[in-house]
Amino acid sequence: MIAILGADGYVGFPLCMHLVNKGFDVVGVDRFLRRQWVAEVGSHSAVPIVSMKERLKAMERHIGKSMCFEYGNLTDYDFVHYVLDKYKPDTIVHLGEQASAPFSMIDVKHAVLTQTNNLVGTLNIIYAIHNLIPHCHLVKLGSMGEYGTPNIDIPEGFLDIEYNGRKDTLPFPKHAFTDWYHWSKVYDSDNMIMACEIWGLRATDIMQGIVYGTRTVEMCDESLNTRFDFDSVFGTALNRFCAQSILNHNLTPYGAGGQRRPFIALADSIQCFLLAIENPAEKGDYRVFNQFDEVYSTIELARQVKAVADKLGFHTEIEHYPNPRVEDEHVQYYNPLHEKLYQLGFHPAHTLQQELEVMLKDLSKYRDRIMAKKDKVSPSIQWRS
């Protein structure tokens, strides 16, 4: 049995479908907070998504099997205990966190909400595993953003160092892009390391790059679509550029556009999670996978989106926008390593250029939904406020 926490999310629901399609028994857990938070900032998914009840019916109809589902709050230990005791999963994939840097920077309320939701939820899961199912493998979604953009190579979690004539292997120092969300991920990682050391937890920390795409092979029905956020709070830069293209609006990279980030296609991300599940960590082992395929700067993304949009008949230009964030806009060196998943058999099957054409064609069907929220693409949250 595999438990997917955050089963209603952009990655969570496609992962659930893929695992069910592969023959796994799956229980999904969610409280639909992402839907509520996106509505709170005045936006909605460009791709309409149906209720979980309808999703489960569609999964049964098209895959021939569905999953169990539990609605509840991961910050409530009694609920987490109940789910883990009832299903006793062999693997837990924890995707159930507040995942927006801008949302965490709105004000003190949203900063506290982000860190409380993320840290308390993860601690509850760790304790419930320890108390109920100590054999269970925890696959936790971290972020490549935990590392920041240091001027040295970024290893997968740990660094061999020599200082004053002595050597050791230590967790790589984190500089989490100066937002409360990414720092919550850093604290999660540290808590997992401690649980592995004192309790023998089996844990895989997925430092995932930015995920893009509108579909996987299981999405054969509109009821099985996953969400696509494009607003300035929950939408990635790439998603915003795609939405702007559909409207023939100028693409608006923040600042100079030299910010460099790692990327991975949605279907390739699902492949990586399956590899982590099928190759669990050993007892007491805290391991880190840097999960991405390609690295691009923001201006490179804008140029690639423009090229594909022009090919498809959309008309857009690139217009640099004053940066609302505090970040390095001129990253000169960015070299994260990503070897472990390839050693397990990861073979990326999707390139950005291929996926951009699919994404723009898919999104064009929902142009009216994007147009209805076009004012939400421009940033309203300032890091220095």
Side-chain angles (χ1 to χ4, degrees):
M1 170 66 75
I2 301 173
I4 309 295
L5 315 182
D8 190 53
Y10 170 62
V11 175
F13 187 68
L15 177 59
C16 288
M17 284 197 293
H18 187 69
L19 292 173
V20 169
N21 198 27
K22 287 284 186 180
F24 291 96
D25 293 322
V26 176
V27 55
V29 178
D30 212 295
R31 195 162 60 124
F32 310 126
L33 289 178
R34 178 60 170 261
R35 300 189 189 216
Q36 296 174 34
W37 291 331
V38 172
E40 178 189 329
V41 300
S43 190
H44 58 212
S45 169
V47 177
I49 48 174
V50 299
S51 69
M52 181 56 73
K53 184 176 181 180
E54 292 173 275
R55 283 178 151 185
L56 296 180
K57 287 182 179 178
M59 194 185 300
E60 177 76 41
R61 188 166 61 248
H62 291 285
I63 298 178
K65 180 182 176 183
S66 192
M67 67 177 182
C68 304
F69 181 77
E70 297 284 348
Y71 171 87
N73 184 357
L74 297 177
T75 66
D76 177 357
Y77 181 74
D78 289 341
F79 169 73
V80 176
H81 187 282
Y82 157 77
V83 171
L84 269 58
D85 190 38
K86 177 178 179 180
Y87 294 96
K88 293 184 171 55
D90 301 298
T91 303
I92 295 172
V93 180
H94 180 20
L95 311 173
E97 296 196 323
Q98 194 296 100
S100 164
F103 188 82
S104 75
M105 299 297 289
I106 293 175
D107 54 23
V108 63
K109 173 184 174 183
H110 292 82
V112 171
L113 181 157
T114 297
Q115 295 216 349
T116 300
N117 182 83
N118 294 358
L119 291 171
V120 173
T122 299
L123 281 170
N124 282 343
I125 294 161
I126 290 171
Y127 261 90
I129 291 173
H130 173 61
N131 291 331
L132 294 168
I133 44 174
H135 68 280
C136 181
H137 176 212
L138 175 61
V139 179
K140 166 72 168 58
L141 181 62
S143 169
M144 287 297 297
E146 292 186 34
Y147 297 118
T149 54
N151 195 38
I152 61 174
D153 294 352
I154 302 173
E156 298 193 79
F158 291 86
L159 181 68
D160 294 326
I161 66 168
E162 182 174 350
Y163 181 69
N164 283 346
R166 302 192 67 83
K167 297 179 181 180
D168 205 343
T169 300
L170 298 174
F172 188 82
K174 306 294 180 66
H175 190 269
F177 291 156
T178 64
D179 66 76
W180 305 121
Y181 157 66
H182 281 104
W183 277 113
S184 76
K185 291 291 195 179
V186 174
Y187 304 144
D188 279 340
S189 294
D190 290 343
N191 287 339
M192 290 168 63
I193 292 172
M194 177 177 166
C196 289
E197 290 182 349
I198 66 174
W199 290 334
L201 178 72
R202 306 170 187 264
T204 300
D205 208 351
I206 302 291
M207 302 301 174
Q208 181 161 266
I210 296 166
V211 185
Y212 62 88
T214 49
R215 60 176 59 244
T216 62
V217 293
E218 284 84 13
M219 294 181 197
C220 55
D221 183 305
E222 284 199 343
S223 297
L224 297 175
N225 284 344
T226 194
R227 65 181 306 110
F228 187 96
D229 292 307
F230 61 94
D231 61 90
S232 65
V233 181
F234 286 95
T236 66
L238 181 57
N239 284 14
R240 288 190 295 106
F241 296 160
C242 289
Q244 289 171 328
S245 296
I246 297 301
L247 303 180
N248 297 313
H249 186 288
N250 286 352
L251 311 186
T252 55
Y254 293 164
Q259 308 92 323
R260 297 189 67 78
R261 303 289 186 265
F263 292 83
I264 187 169
L266 176 60
D268 288 336
S269 172
I270 301 302
Q271 180 193 161
C272 290
F273 276 106
L274 181 60
L275 285 170
I277 290 167
E278 292 181 331
N279 298 274
E282 298 295 329
K283 180 177 175 60
D285 185 17
Y286 169 83
R287 64 182 186 179
V288 176
F289 292 165
N290 290 349
Q291 182 171 299
F292 69 95
D293 179 26
E294 302 167 296
V295 172
Y296 296 100
S297 69
T298 305
I299 191 63
E300 288 170 343
L301 284 181
R303 290 168 181 161
Q304 294 221 32
V305 173
K306 175 177 167 46
V308 177
D310 289 348
K311 174 185 172 183
L312 295 177
F314 300 106
H315 304 286
T316 185
E317 300 296 333
I318 297 173
E319 176 186 357
H320 291 266
Y321 195 98
N323 197 341
R325 305 185 179 207
V326 177
E327 61 184 352
D328 185 356
E329 299 174 6
H330 304 275
V331 177
Q332 300 300 317
Y333 187 83
Y334 183 67
N335 187 36
L337 308 180
H338 55 145
E339 301 170 349
K340 295 180 182 177
L341 282 162
Y342 287 86
Q343 291 167 357
L344 292 178
F346 174 48
H347 297 288
H350 303 265
T351 66
L352 178 61
Q353 292 80 7
Q354 293 168 339
E355 287 298 292
L356 278 175
E357 186 163 341
V358 175
M359 291 165 69
L360 291 175
K361 287 179 179 178
D362 283 347
L363 291 173
S364 65
K365 295 184 292 186
Y366 305 110
R367 186 179 187 278
D368 290 346
R369 288 180 61 86
I370 297 172
M371 177 63 78
K373 302 294 182 180
K374 66 177 182 178
D375 60 317
K376 298 302 177 182
V377 176
S378 298
S380 58
I381 300 163
Q382 300 291 324
W383 258 231
R384 297 187 187 277
S385 295

